[in-house]
Amino acid sequence: MLGPEILKWTKTISLSLTRQLTYKFDFLLTLVLPPLVLVSVSYALWAEIFDREKIKEIGGFTRDAMLRYQCWTFIAALLVRGHRSWNLSEDIRFGRITAFLLYPFTLWGAYASEFIAFQIIQLFVVAVSISALCLLNLVPMIPLATLASGLALSLLIAALWFSFEFLFGLLAFWLEETWILRYVFNLLTITLSGAFIPIELFPQWLQKVLQYTPFPLLTSIPVHVFLGSNSQPTLYLSLRVLFWTALASLCARYVWRRGIRLYSASGI
Amino acid sequence: MSTLRPYTRVIRQQIANSLAKLMAFRLSFIFLILVEVASLITAYIPASFLFNHVERVGPWNRSEFMFFIFWTQGMFCCHNGLVAPNFWNFAAEIRTGALDFRLLRPLGSVFDVMTAISRPASLMMLPISACCLVYFGLQIQLSILAWLTMPFVFCLAFLTMVVIELNLACLTFWTKGGDGANFVRMQCQQIQRWPDFMYPKRSRLFFSTAIPVLASGSFSVQFIFDTSRWDRIVLMGLAALVFWLLASYVWSRGLRQYESASS
């Protein structure tokens, strides 16, 4: 009974892998370049601040600790904030999801397969990136257990990011342009997740507020796990991620049920 | 004069279309304003938090740095309102072959592509950026010459930014997907969002000469802060001119490379 189901998934994942790697240069430009530029800018900014003013410590970060933090944000960004689901809104508006209403494979399944395929590619990109960072002496070698724990948590958080993006995409049943929501969420994530400035440098009141949001999970927490400076148990962090993922998935399910009633399949 | 007439008519019609669209899709209008508000806040917050911990970033104090932030933010407002949607539209038109119809029109193809869409909603945040500019400008006690030349310098900086991006957008003729070139363009914006002195020497040289994205933001503000530095304006104007000539060449090469997807 499970056999055909697994076959559907593996076939779709393999198809997605081929599709995503067809235009390799475009893939690199769209998915590797943005986090690389972001981390290069923040790395340069922090190096300049520490070096020019001869500052020893800012918010508990020494120069080396801050620069290592910035390097690991690049790895976290590659794993967590990479999936491109911007086709979903276009698929809905142009009536292309009709096929999924007829196929023996759901729309969510197709997008989840694409997400899994993407994460497989990103794991290779991350392996190369970590090796390069270590070889360039930008980050020290970390214990294998810490690396494994960081990677596992990042992959779990990637599922959370996928759930949010899928939810935003589904709003295309009502909205003409859903890129706006994704763009704003992305901007807020870069600012509030500690991707540019570590959360430890935010005012105390904001740090407390952010604890009740998913933002720290999207950069700060996985980076601290990689750095080995995280004080919370990984199990607790995983439960937090699962809570937000479940919430986003439930919302997506609700939105799908409401939205599909409005859907008129063009081309039929 | 007769050559310019069709162009002015097109611009007039484009403005009318954009306003009609603005009134028709009110929710999109609100969302676009939301984007600009978020963009403004997320540019201000990191800089503000940073200055809670440090006195200066490079040679600039808080007011000078904030002036720079709102200067670039003003440029991005104009960019999002007038230019950015056209770059994305250009990529989509190459992919679908819809560019054919633009090439058939009796207008310059660059003009037609770059004025196809405008988003007046994005321009609505420009007065807020301008107010912040004036506020921080008063704090740093800019000279009268700086205030007088500011609109001109702003326009030149914006023009330089657009011309450089036009060259990058031409990459779309060669990259199959189309979005890749736009992502390169967006990353250049990320680089020019920050002052040139914070980049290492080699990167600074590269982004001031080879792809002079730092010229539009940093050079213009350096002139505003110190109006004796005319070399900054000359360099920026030179960059705009060279990159305009380059864009004309790359555009014509790109058109020869273009294989229409619709025919």
Side-chain angles (χ1 to χ4, degrees), chain A residues 1-224:
Chain A
M1 192 63 190
L2 264 177
E5 197 60 31
I6 291 172
L7 197 67
K8 274 186 226 169
W9 278 85
T10 50
K11 286 275 182 204
T12 317
I13 291 170
S14 147
L15 202 68
S16 296
L17 269 173
T18 314
R19 198 171 48 237
Q20 291 183 39
L21 288 175
T22 306
Y23 301 121
K24 294 178 189 69
F25 186 58
D26 213 52
F27 178 83
L28 283 174
L29 289 182
T30 52
L31 292 155
V32 180
L33 190 72
L36 187 64
V37 169
L38 183 71
V39 76
S40 306
V41 170
S42 49
Y43 192 96
L45 175 74
W46 286 110
E48 166 67 25
I49 291 168
F50 275 97
D51 294 345
R52 195 183 277 244
E53 298 297 315
K54 305 270 183 280
I55 296 169
K56 291 233 164 61
E57 199 180 286
I58 300 175
F61 284 87
T62 60
R63 181 189 187 275
D64 287 348
M66 181 61 85
L67 297 185
R68 277 202 296 271
Y69 178 94
Q70 298 301 335
C71 289
W72 282 110
T73 59
F74 170 57
I75 302 298
L78 282 176
L79 278 173
V80 173
R81 305 199 306 266
H83 180 253
R84 44 176 175 184
S85 68
W86 55 66
N87 289 338
L88 178 57
S89 54
E90 206 175 273
D91 286 351
I92 291 172
R93 277 191 288 115
F94 294 156
R96 290 199 290 253
I97 64 165
T98 311
F100 294 101
L101 302 176
L102 305 172
Y103 289 163
F105 199 57
T106 60
L107 178 75
W108 181 85
Y111 270 87
S113 303
E114 197 162 322
F115 161 70
I116 293 167
F118 174 79
Q119 290 305 124
I120 292 169
I121 301 167
Q122 285 303 75
L123 276 174
F124 281 102
V125 176
V126 161
V128 173
S129 304
I130 293 177
S131 310
L133 289 174
C134 288
L135 283 172
L136 292 169
N137 230 359
L138 292 172
V139 293
M141 293 286 283
I142 58 170
L144 209 58
T146 310
L147 182 67
S149 155
L151 288 177
L153 185 70
S154 298
L155 288 173
L156 201 61
I157 298 169
L160 167 64
W161 184 258
F162 165 70
S163 308
F164 277 126
E165 287 223 313
F166 193 72
L167 172 63
F168 293 143
L170 287 178
L171 293 174
F173 284 119
W174 292 271
L175 302 175
E176 182 71 15
E177 294 175 290
T178 59
W179 68 266
I180 296 171
L181 296 172
R182 268 201 329 265
Y183 181 77
V184 171
F185 188 67
N186 209 27
L187 273 180
L188 289 176
T189 300
I190 289 173
T191 308
L192 299 176
S193 71
F196 200 72
I197 293 184
I199 291 179
E200 288 78 359
L201 301 190
F202 288 11
Q204 283 294 325
W205 65 267
L206 186 57
Q207 287 187 39
K208 280 184 189 151
V209 170
L210 286 176
Q211 287 309 311
Y212 299 100
T213 69
F215 290 114
L217 293 166
L218 299 172
T219 305
S220 180
I221 287 175
V223 168
H224 279 297

Side-chain angles (χ1 to χ4, degrees), chain B residues 20 62 70 93 106 114 123 137 140 159 161 198 200 213 239 241 255:
Chain B
R62 186 191 180 96
F70 286 106
E93 288 192 345
M114 295 311 295
L123 293 173
I140 48 183
L159 196 73
M161 176 185 177
M198 53 161 269
V213 286
L241 183 70
L255 283 181

